Amino acid sequence: MKVPQNVIKICEFLKDKKAENIVVVDTTKMKNVVDFNIIVTATSTTHTKALADYVEEEVVKLNSSLELVNREGFNLSEWIILDYGELFVHIFTKQKRELFSLEKLLNEGNNLKTFERIEKEEERQEKLRIEKEKIAIKKAAQKAKIEKSKEYKKVKEKLKKEKAV
């Protein structure tokens, strides 16, 4: 499951504000469902509101293609949904999350990941990218060294010929 950057950023915003048990569900293969669902637990109804407000503010700052289409649940604040068209952010109190078991409803095998796992995969990908970059730099340096060596030999040969004349 490849998780888009905007989903990762929203998860980071939620983590920054102490959201618990952050889960991402890829629902791209389900008909009539958004592409991704982010599901989190808040510690209280006040916390659900604070998380929702923070996500909204930070998404605006991202200057991404994400646009808030709808928001629901602020009256009771036990389950707040932020609808960004291609993804939903579900912010639950612990009791409501257990009651509705949304992960079980949306889970279709290998389409669910914890944000912790996503972060580890992103970190691993970044390390691989850095390693590949280091290898490419070493190869370029070796190639330059070889080219410099060849050029040095050519200049040396040319000087020998000039001295011989």
Side-chain angles (χ1 to χ4, degrees), residues 5-147:
Q5 270 314 114
N6 55 6
V7 172
I8 292 171
K9 289 304 276 179
I10 290 174
C11 290
E12 288 171 351
F13 300 149
L14 290 161
K15 183 180 176 183
D16 288 347
K17 292 297 177 185
K18 309 295 187 231
E20 298 174 353
N21 196 10
I22 303 169
V23 172
V24 175
V25 185
D26 178 350
T27 48
T28 53
K29 294 180 181 166
M30 295 176 147
K31 287 187 175 185
N32 302 319
V33 180
V34 296
D35 291 345
F36 286 88
N37 286 271
I38 300 170
I39 304 168
V40 304
T41 303
T43 56
S44 66
T45 55
T46 304
H47 193 208
T48 61
K49 288 178 185 176
L51 288 169
D53 289 340
Y54 185 69
V55 167
E56 285 182 45
E57 291 168 16
E58 293 303 308
V59 167
V60 168
K61 291 178 189 176
L62 276 180
N63 292 322
S64 72
S65 63
L66 289 179
E67 210 171 296
L68 187 64
V69 176
N70 196 12
R71 59 200 294 253
E72 294 289 332
F74 274 82
N75 290 342
L76 296 176
S77 301
E78 294 175 314
W79 178 5
I80 295 176
I81 303 171
L82 302 177
D83 175 357
Y84 285 98
E86 62 204 46
L87 71 99
F88 284 165
V89 179
H90 303 270
I91 306 169
F92 287 98
T93 60
K94 185 176 183 180
Q95 296 78 12
K96 289 298 176 184
R97 185 167 181 177
E98 288 172 1
L99 177 68
F100 288 104
S101 300
L102 191 57
E103 292 98 323
K104 289 179 185 172
L105 191 69
L106 297 173
N107 190 4
E108 284 193 334
N110 197 21
N111 68 332
L112 187 142
K113 283 188 184 175
T114 63
F115 183 57
E116 184 178 304
R117 183 171 165 200
I118 292 168
E119 283 181 309
K120 286 179 183 175
E121 288 173 0
E122 287 286 310
E123 190 176 294
R124 194 169 31 254
Q125 288 297 324
E126 181 63 14
K127 284 180 181 177
L128 281 172
R129 187 192 64 74
I130 290 169
E131 277 304 310
K132 285 180 181 177
E133 200 171 282
K134 284 179 182 177
I135 290 168
I137 289 169
K138 282 181 182 178
K139 284 182 179 179
Q142 286 172 342
K143 186 177 179 182
K145 194 174 181 179
I146 290 168
E147 291 300 318

